[in-house]
Amino acid sequence: MPSHDFSAPRLFVDAALVQDARVPLDRDQSNYLGNVLRLAAGAEVLAFNGRDGEWQAAIEGRKRPDGLVILQQTRPQDRLPDLTYVFAPLKHARLDYMVQKAIEMGAAALQPVLTRFTQASRVNTERMRANVVEAAEQCGILSIATVAEPVPLERFLGQRAAGRLLIFCDEAAEVQDPVQSLQSTREAGGGIDVLIGPEGGFAEEERALLLRQPKILRLALGPRIMRADTAAVAALALVQAVLGDWGGGRG
């Protein structure tokens, strides 16, 4: 991993970043820098927008921070592995946690799907996007994952690209070595979708539909039943280590 200044505050801004550019701050950003972090004009932060890399920037403003002047680039833009985390939504704080961890693990896109036993049918995607940005700011991530609107599982399966690998994490699957199972698919390209269902599991008709999908890997996550947010971390760690960008995979 490139050298990174973890002591400097990081701020996501939705503006082009080039040397000497001036970027206005919105009210929340101004409050965060001025009242939470107690920073004044002249203090430096790191700014990123998901497109132009990371830049050193100085705060401007007389009474309160109201803008940034962009100084120099500290890191060039990178890209996330072509990895989509597909999940049945959870409620409130556990959904926040799951989104944050998926971003930390390197997911490039989040796709909620509605299943028969989904716990929460209403999903606040704006809150999800806010959690994506916060996780990226806190963890030195340069790219911002996309957040899709929730769709029924059947619709997701019908519209996904056939060339993508679907890793179906199924508590009813036979327990085998997950690393070995993932290694058997290493030669496949076209992106990866990792699917975690609700804590009530998949209905039998949903499981049958999933198993008819092309290019699918049915994966058990060990001999114990995990909560969905725990399963997210376990599955994404396995996939990133074997097929992703953690160890020279295809990410």
Side-chain angles (χ1 to χ4, degrees):
M1 181 177 179
S3 177
H4 177 64
D5 181 4
F6 285 100
S7 64
R10 298 182 78 243
L11 198 66
F12 172 79
V13 295
D14 191 13
L17 297 177
V18 294
Q19 191 169 10
D20 298 326
R22 280 176 163 75
V23 176
L25 297 173
D26 63 31
R27 179 176 298 179
D28 289 341
Q29 292 171 327
S30 176
N31 178 69
Y32 173 68
L33 294 178
N35 296 328
V36 178
L37 298 184
R38 303 291 185 182
L39 298 177
E44 294 185 355
V45 299
L46 297 174
F48 70 108
N49 61 6
R51 306 182 299 274
D52 300 322
E54 181 184 75
W55 292 74
Q56 188 179 32
I59 296 173
E60 292 186 316
R62 293 186 177 181
K63 294 183 178 180
R64 61 181 179 83
D66 57 22
L68 300 176
V69 57
I70 306 304
L71 303 177
Q72 61 183 356
Q73 190 179 63
T74 56
R75 287 190 292 164
Q77 184 63 38
D78 60 10
R79 67 178 182 90
L80 294 169
D82 189 1
L83 174 63
T84 297
Y85 179 56
V86 186
F87 61 95
L90 301 174
K91 294 180 180 178
H92 307 305
R94 291 183 58 210
L95 178 60
D96 293 343
Y97 171 88
M98 188 169 68
V99 169
Q100 292 162 4
K101 298 312 161 190
I103 298 309
E104 292 175 35
M105 306 296 278
L110 304 179
Q111 174 62 72
V113 292
L114 305 178
T115 69
R116 175 183 290 188
F117 303 125
T118 294
Q119 294 182 358
S121 58
R122 299 182 65 181
V123 181
N124 186 337
T125 51
E126 286 306 309
R127 179 169 175 150
M128 287 178 57
R129 292 186 182 98
N131 275 299
V132 167
V133 169
E134 181 179 353
E137 286 177 335
Q138 293 180 351
C139 297
I141 297 169
L142 297 182
S143 298
I144 299 296
T146 61
V147 177
E149 293 297 322
V151 296
L153 176 64
E154 295 82 356
R155 186 187 305 174
F156 165 73
L157 294 174
Q159 66 189 21
R160 65 184 295 271
R164 296 179 66 83
L165 172 65
L166 176 60
I167 298 177
F168 166 33
C169 297
D170 186 4
E171 71 278 3
E174 180 182 353
V175 176
Q176 298 178 335
D177 183 345
V179 172
Q180 188 175 50
S181 297
L182 289 165
Q183 286 174 336
S184 69
T185 69
R186 180 178 286 276
E187 74 284 353
I192 303 172
D193 298 328
V194 177
L195 172 62
I196 300 285
E199 292 191 339
F202 290 99
E204 284 307 312
E205 63 269 21
E206 292 170 336
R207 182 174 284 106
L209 177 62
L210 284 162
L211 294 177
R212 291 197 297 270
Q213 299 302 303
K215 208 168 179 181
I216 185 170
L217 173 64
R218 188 184 186 194
L219 194 68
L221 297 175
R224 289 165 291 279
I225 300 298
M226 298 178 184
R227 291 172 58 149
D229 43 353
T230 307
V233 176
L236 290 170
L238 283 166
V239 171
Q240 282 284 60
V242 179
L243 301 178
D245 61 2
W246 284 15
R250 67 181 179 196

